[in-house]
Amino acid sequence: MSEFDDPTADFLAREQAILGAEAALFGNPLATDAQVPTQDLLQPSEPLFEPEPVTQVLLQEPVTQVFQQEPVFQPEPVFQQEQFSQPAPVFQPEPVQYIEPEAITEWKQRFQQQIEMRDLRSKDRHDILLKKAQENLEKFYAEYNEKKAKQIQKNKETQSEKPKELPVWVF
């Protein structure tokens, strides 16, 4: 396998050919025969930019006097309790009386009547359902007790008859 069969190696070889002596700057000094500069690349010998000249701002007062003055704010006055002998009046607005329109009043009355009618019909249905359930339960227990009594009578008759021969169980 030659060195150009590998696409990565091919790419790196082309990059090194393009960069030439600068290839060593990118971390591989053995890649070319170029000399690596001994100067530290992070500490340039000349500044990257020249500082701007400082201009003086003329003030009416020197800056140092601003800090030597008294504080600008005044402390809040302290009030004695005697000054406020009566509490401040509390504003309470007068309640507004709302007069409901007649149409809304009529609607509320009709709606209340409809609810009462629904409740009455629902109660009637509930009572009918309870009565049917009670009748069905009574009928069920009557039939159950009747069947139970018949079965008990049948069992007694069967037990009273003596078997002619007892079965013999062979083990």
Side-chain angles (χ1 to χ4, degrees):
M1 177 180 199
S2 70
E3 69 178 85
F4 294 108
D5 289 340
D6 183 19
T8 306
D10 181 38
F11 171 77
L12 291 175
R14 282 186 283 136
E15 288 294 314
Q16 286 177 358
I18 292 171
L19 290 174
E22 294 177 356
L25 296 175
F26 293 102
N28 190 359
L30 304 176
T32 61
D33 295 335
Q35 296 293 326
V36 178
T38 57
Q39 173 187 353
D40 187 9
L41 296 176
L42 297 177
Q43 299 289 332
S45 60
E46 47 189 61
L48 297 175
F49 61 91
E50 293 192 25
E52 295 181 18
V54 178
T55 58
Q56 292 185 351
V57 179
L58 298 176
L59 299 173
Q60 292 177 354
E61 298 178 4
V63 176
T64 57
Q65 287 192 9
V66 172
F67 296 110
Q68 294 174 357
Q69 291 178 351
E70 295 281 327
V72 178
F73 63 90
Q74 295 291 329
E76 293 184 22
V78 178
F79 295 105
Q80 300 293 330
Q81 184 66 25
E82 298 164 0
Q83 291 176 345
F84 300 108
S85 60
Q86 295 179 359
V90 178
F91 175 73
Q92 294 180 351
E94 293 182 23
V96 177
Q97 297 209 356
Y98 176 70
I99 300 173
E100 197 169 69
E102 189 176 327
I104 293 177
T105 308
E106 290 175 6
W107 175 83
K108 284 184 177 180
Q109 290 173 353
R110 280 191 314 237
F111 186 69
Q112 191 64 31
Q113 289 174 353
Q114 289 175 353
I115 290 174
E116 289 172 2
M117 292 299 292
R118 277 190 234 150
D119 289 346
L120 185 61
R121 278 186 266 145
S122 176
K123 186 178 182 306
D124 290 344
R125 279 191 233 135
H126 180 71
D127 291 341
I128 291 170
L129 191 64
L130 279 178
K131 187 176 179 181
K132 283 184 181 179
Q134 191 174 12
E135 289 173 0
N136 286 338
L137 276 174
E138 289 174 3
K139 181 180 173 185
F140 169 77
Y141 281 115
E143 289 175 2
Y144 172 76
N145 289 333
E146 185 181 325
K147 287 180 183 178
K148 184 178 167 185
K150 284 182 183 178
Q151 189 64 37
I152 290 173
Q153 186 64 29
K154 185 178 175 183
N155 287 345
K156 285 183 181 179
E157 289 174 5
T158 308
Q159 287 178 355
S160 64
E161 298 175 7
K162 291 192 174 187
K164 297 179 185 172
E165 242 181 78
L166 291 175
V168 179
W169 297 98
V170 179
F171 292 98

